[in-house]
Amino acid sequence: MADPHFNAEDKARILEGVDQILDGMLSMGPNVRAFEEEFAAMVGTRHAIAMNACTSTLEAALQYYNVAGREVIVPAETFIATGMAVHLSGGIPVFAEVGDSLCLDLADVEARVTERTAGVIVVHMAGNIAPEIQAFREMCDARGIFLIEDAAHSPGARIGDRQAGSFGHAGCFSFFSTKVLAAGEGGMLTTDDDAIATFARSFQHRGRDMTAKTEQYLMPGRNVRMTEMAALVGRTQLARLHEYLDRRRMVAAVYARDLAGQNGIRLVMPASLENSSFWKVPLLLDPEIDRVAVTEYMMGQGVAVDWAYQPALHLQPVFRAIGGYSEGTLPRTEALLSRHLCLPCHPRISEDDAIYVAQTLVEAVRTAARTSA
Ligand SMILES: Cc1ncc(COP(=O)(O)O)c(C=O)c1O
């Protein structure tokens, strides 16, 4: 469910900001610039470039690396946009297995790297930073290929003092309505690399040379800029990020406490709460448990669970057609996704709500086990 959580103070700030926008600049104005600066400061990268969607930021990074005709390794467990950005940039998505963390598996990726590989996109699934992210960067640097972080789910997640979006050559964030930071639509590319940043600025403006005084276009492109309105909403949300993360982490901690040792249920949790922004809290059911029955029970009790994401990307009709994929190609990922379920997590879930969700799940699993016995 889209639940952006604007309190009265935020609404007042936004309405005042809208007033200023209507009297000032509707696009390419101070809010976009400030949002970029504030986001770069949060992630700890030298640059942040705002766009209309995360998909555009992925395309900008991929096209900087000129992936046309080359392979890009992508996890099979992600939203369609990750694979689509590769295809629409002329690259060939090569889907790889995820591990029990539901994030890309390093050993499986290494086995798929060939001389045709341009790079790897790691997705921080459900907000959990991929546990092997640092080793991914070392592997990519050693092989001379790029690493892009699809951090759509994970603003504010960190390992030590390194934030999601600062491990790869580029990080890509989404501000779609259901995300941890919701601006309606929007995306942000983060990078420490000046050349990527220059390319992304040009990409944002139809391929324009942003250093030239007159309009000079260096490459084919389109307008993928963020609007001032979206930046205003995004800035308001960013100012609350730590508060939101505290609440999401509280909800996840209740799930972890109340579901520890419960038969048939294994939460997919990071090593430490700060390693995740807890967009959702995924879990794996034991294989004999009927996931449809558990899901229907939970929905019947008013708990909105979902199966983000299924089918795996290689089994989506578009990639079956493009890549000739079929069932059994990625057996580990397919088996994991047949058992997974996501619990809701957002700042408006109270401690009591979280306790209720955990209790309902335990009942759902018991009921499903009784029915199948
Ligand atoms: C993992 C992932 N990557 C990319 C995207 C694309 O984001 P956007 O809709 O902002 O283009 C999303 C979500 O929408 C996502 O969940």
Side-chain angles (χ1 to χ4, degrees), residues 52-56 58 78-79 81-82 123 150 152-153 173-176 179 185-187 279 309:
N52 61 345
C54 175
T55 308
S56 302
L58 286 166
T78 177
F79 183 58
T82 319
V123 178
D150 181 336
H153 302 168
F173 293 84
S174 173
F175 308 121
F176 178 62
K179 297 294 194 284
E185 301 284 357
W279 176 55
Y309 294 97

Side-chain angles (χ1 to χ4, degrees), residues 74-78 96-109 120-133 136 150 153-154 268-270 275-276 282 284 332-333 336-337 340:
V74 174
E77 159 64 335
T78 177
E97 298 271 25
V98 295
D100 285 355
S101 64
L102 300 179
C103 293
L104 202 51
D105 181 271
L106 178 62
D108 188 74
V109 169
V120 177
I121 305 181
V122 168
V123 178
H124 301 315
M125 189 58 207
N128 297 348
I129 296 184
E132 297 175 301
I133 190 67
F136 266 109
D150 181 336
H153 302 168
S154 58
V268 178
M269 288 291 282
N275 303 157
S276 183
L284 295 168
R332 188 147 46 109
T333 303
L336 284 169
L337 295 190
H340 96 301

Side-chain angles (χ1 to χ4, degrees), residues 184-238:
E185 301 284 357
M188 193 74 79
L189 184 149
T190 53
T191 186
D192 274 329
D193 186 317
D194 294 346
I196 297 178
T198 303
F199 182 91
R201 287 254 169 252
S202 168
F203 188 90
Q204 208 184 17
H205 294 269
R206 296 186 190 81
R208 184 170 171 177
D209 180 351
M210 300 307 286
T211 60
K213 289 208 173 61
T214 58
E215 283 195 40
Q216 307 286 325
Y217 292 89
L218 303 170
M219 59 185 182
R222 51 175 72 90
N223 166 14
V224 294
R225 289 188 293 263
M226 178 179 279
T227 64
E228 278 289 289
M229 296 282 187
L232 169 65
V233 177
R235 291 181 70 197
T236 311
Q237 292 256 302
L238 182 59

Side-chain angles (χ1 to χ4, degrees), residues 62-111:
L62 289 160
Q63 290 175 34
Y64 168 79
Y65 283 107
N66 201 10
V67 297
R70 298 195 291 156
E71 294 182 353
V72 180
I73 301 176
V74 174
E77 159 64 335
T78 177
F79 183 58
I80 193 74
T82 319
M84 210 73 109
V86 174
H87 178 74
L88 292 174
S89 299
I92 302 157
V94 171
F95 296 107
E97 298 271 25
V98 295
D100 285 355
S101 64
L102 300 179
C103 293
L104 202 51
D105 181 271
L106 178 62
D108 188 74
V109 169
E110 282 199 273

